[in-house]
Amino acid sequence: EAGVAQSPRYKIIEKRQSVAFWCNPISGHATLYWYQQILGQGPKLLIQFQNNGVVDDSQLPKDRFSAERLKGVDSTLKIQPAKLEDSAVYLCASRVAGGETQYFGPGTRLLVL
Amino acid sequence: QQQVKQSPQSLIVQKGGIPIINCAYENTAFDYFPWYQQFPGKGPALLIAIRPDVSEKKEGRFTISFNKSAKQFSLHIMDSQPGDSATYFCAARFTGNQFYFGTGTSLTVIP
């Protein structure tokens, strides 16, 4: 079974630029999460999708972050404009509906200069 | 506000030792408590998990102890090996399926 795929793996941008990350969850997993992991900290939930609907985006900085999961499969997370404090690893995870286990992708490392 | 508090921040043990990582929570609506292992450059991977109606769960060399009244749970790694060197995160799931993570413990096992 293929795992959660994410791209790109690394991205370096300058502040005020925009950036987008892509996630392809495990086939059949209805629930998809985006997390932000700042160096030395645990993952922090940004947004949770159930199929193509948003379940929780209470911690998403909506003035600059957006996410979508149009067909209930792949998802994109966008930052526009980026700030220095957005430097982090952005993790995507998926879970089968009703299941307990989250499966994480390898993450995208973002550095904002 | 940190929903799940984890300690220590880092831990160094000799091979064969038993590192213990502790977590505490406040929200009694949490219903599932997983532990994740993360190697550099990789995403977290589920190690072991427990529900609050169980006081202990063991899988191989990994054991979770759960104290519901104290709202604390801990991970014990028996006969630790250098390959166990990684960062460990505890987490708690809210009934709405949102997960909250601890701040992580960097474990180093010295050969």
Side-chain angles (χ1 to χ4, degrees):
Chain A
E1 180 182 71
V4 177
Q6 290 188 247
S7 67
R9 292 296 312 276
Y10 305 92
K11 191 74 177 179
I12 301 174
I13 61 173
E14 295 189 349
K15 61 182 179 183
R16 291 188 288 274
Q17 286 186 322
S18 62
V19 64
F21 313 127
W22 174 81
C23 173
N24 180 232
I26 294 172
S27 177
H29 282 200
T31 306
L32 185 147
Y33 305 84
W34 281 103
Y35 290 89
Q36 180 191 59
Q37 186 176 21
I38 293 173
L39 187 65
Q41 298 182 19
K44 184 186 95 171
L45 179 67
L46 292 175
I47 190 167
Q48 177 187 347
F49 291 96
Q50 180 74 17
N51 296 308
N52 60 350
V54 175
V55 174
D56 180 11
D57 63 357
S58 58
Q59 298 189 84
L60 187 73
K62 298 180 186 63
D63 58 334
R64 298 185 300 106
F65 286 65
S66 64
E68 60 183 13
R69 193 183 184 200
L70 291 176
K71 297 183 179 179
V73 181
D74 293 5
S75 177
T76 56
L77 176 69
K78 296 179 182 179
I79 308 175
Q80 183 180 9
K83 292 185 176 181
L84 296 177
E85 58 262 36
D86 298 333
S87 295
V89 175
Y90 291 84
L91 294 164
C92 179
S94 69
R95 181 176 60 84
V96 65
E100 292 181 329
T101 304
Q102 285 185 99
Y103 296 88
F104 283 85
T108 296
R109 295 181 177 275
L110 173 67
L111 178 61
V112 182
L113 302 175
Chain B
Q1 183 183 6
Q2 189 69 32
Q3 294 269 10
V4 180
K5 296 182 180 179
Q6 183 173 346
S7 63
Q9 186 175 359
S10 62
L11 197 51
I12 300 174
V13 299
Q14 296 277 357
K15 177 183 174 182
I18 306 176
I20 300 173
I21 305 170
N22 301 298
C23 285
Y25 64 97
E26 287 298 324
N27 195 330
T28 55
F30 290 139
D31 65 354
Y32 175 70
F33 300 86
W35 283 90
Y36 289 85
Q37 180 187 55
Q38 186 175 29
F39 292 104
K42 306 290 186 182
L46 179 67
L47 195 59
I48 186 172
I50 198 167
R51 289 188 167 274
D53 53 348
V54 176
S55 61
E56 184 175 280
K57 184 174 181 180
K58 184 176 181 180
E59 287 185 1
R61 296 185 293 107
F62 301 93
T63 300
I64 300 178
S65 297
F66 193 90
N67 186 329
K68 188 175 181 179
S69 60
K71 291 185 279 188
Q72 295 176 348
F73 58 111
S74 59
L75 176 69
H76 302 233
I77 305 176
M78 306 300 176
D79 187 28
S80 58
Q81 302 296 314
D84 296 330
S85 297
T87 300
Y88 293 81
F89 293 96
C90 61
R93 185 185 68 179
F94 192 60
T95 51
N97 291 315
Q98 292 87 9
F99 287 80
Y100 295 90
F101 285 76
T103 50
T105 296
S106 176
L107 172 66
T108 302
V109 181
I110 300 171

